[in-house]
Structures are given as structure tokens and as C-alpha cells.
Amino acid sequence: MKIYGLIFIALAAIAFSACSGTTTNNSENAVANKTVENKPAETTPERTQTAAHSLDPTGTVKAFISAYQKKDVDEMKKYLSKGSLEMFRQTAELQGKTEKELMTSDDMPFKEMPEMRNEKIEGDTASVEVKVEGKWEKTPLVKENGSWKLAFDKS
């Protein structure tokens, strides 16, 4: 994985913030077990402004990248898993930086929203392929407290 993929992984790790817990019912589980391949990316601003708990995996990745582009660390944190947050904290510590410095680094390749495809949901895990420098990279997600979160610690 290139350095940009690692930076993307590290950025995702910081951003978990506690969301209100919800209980998943059987109908939600049935929907969560679907697999959607070659799902086209939606670029409407409304998707990124929706509450984190209502976003699908692709929407979560887009919302995170949108928050990164705005350098909005608090917003970025809404879309990251607990494990990713801890990984990011450790990465910042190893590099002698603050989490904010690491999260707002200009090293990220996403000046524009990248292409995304192949969203796959299997229970409480999911993945979305994101095009990074011309290559497709699988981005893992997990469901925490009823919301999809980027799980870069699972890469």
C-alpha cells in the first residue's frame, strides 16, 4: 500500500466520536446482510450533511473525505471507529505530532472527491473500494452503535 493509503488509514483512525447507541432489529440485520457491487458514487452535498448514523458505507467514506477537505477534525472523528481512533493516536505519537496535525496534513491525495465502487455489506462489516492515485483500494468499515465507521485498523 502506498504512503497515501497509509495516511488515509491513519486519518481514519482518529475520528470516532461517541454516537447515540441504537439497537439493531431483525429487519435492519436483513438489510445489513446485502451485497451491492459496482454501486455508483453519489456526490450530492446532502449525503455528507446527513447524520452519521443514517449513512451507508459509501456515504460514510464520502462524509469523512469531505470533512478532511474542509480540515474539520471534529467532523472527521464522527466517521472513524474506536480502533481507528486509537491507531491514529498511536501514529501521531510515533511521529511526534498532534492528532490534529496528522489529520489535517496536506499529504492526503483527495483534493477532489475520489471515485468509489463495489460497496459490500456483510453483517456489521462492510467495504468500499476507493480510487487512490489510479488504483482501487479496499476501505473497511464496521458498524458501531448503529453507524458505519471507517475501520482502518482492519486493513
Side-chain angles (χ1 to χ4, degrees):
M1 184 180 298
K2 290 189 172 192
I3 186 70
Y4 294 115
L6 292 174
I7 292 170
F8 187 61
I9 287 170
L11 285 173
I14 190 164
F16 179 80
S17 68
C19 293
S20 63
T22 58
T23 304
T24 304
N25 64 31
N26 288 337
S27 64
E28 288 174 327
N29 282 337
V31 172
N33 288 323
K34 69 178 181 170
T35 298
V36 180
E37 295 192 32
N38 295 322
K39 181 178 178 182
E42 295 179 25
T43 56
T44 59
E46 298 82 40
R47 294 261 319 196
T48 60
Q49 295 173 359
T50 306
H53 68 276
S54 65
L55 294 176
D56 62 12
T58 301
T60 298
V61 175
K62 288 181 181 185
F64 174 80
I65 292 171
S66 178
Y68 167 77
Q69 290 170 333
K70 296 173 189 171
K71 307 292 187 203
D72 187 342
V73 173
D74 291 333
E75 185 69 12
M76 291 165 64
K77 289 180 180 183
K78 294 179 183 179
Y79 307 105
L80 298 174
S81 71
K82 291 176 186 176
S84 294
L85 178 59
E86 178 58 21
M87 187 179 85
F88 190 75
R89 186 194 63 73
Q90 290 176 358
T91 300
E93 187 177 307
L94 287 172
Q95 292 183 6
K97 297 181 179 182
T98 66
E99 292 173 354
K100 183 175 182 174
E101 288 173 329
L102 193 56
M103 290 184 76
T104 57
S105 167
D106 286 328
D107 293 337
M108 282 279 286
F110 303 120
K111 304 299 182 209
E112 296 179 13
M113 189 61 66
E115 290 180 58
M116 295 176 207
R117 68 177 188 190
N118 292 340
E119 176 182 285
K120 294 181 182 183
I121 299 173
E122 296 177 4
D124 286 343
T125 63
S127 64
V128 176
E129 291 182 3
V130 179
K131 197 168 196 178
V132 180
E133 294 187 326
K135 293 184 180 179
W136 291 101
E137 300 214 12
K138 190 179 275 190
T139 304
L141 296 98
V142 295
K143 196 170 251 189
E144 290 182 355
N145 298 321
S147 299
W148 287 108
K149 305 291 182 175
L150 293 161
F152 293 110
D153 57 310
K154 306 289 185 197
S155 292

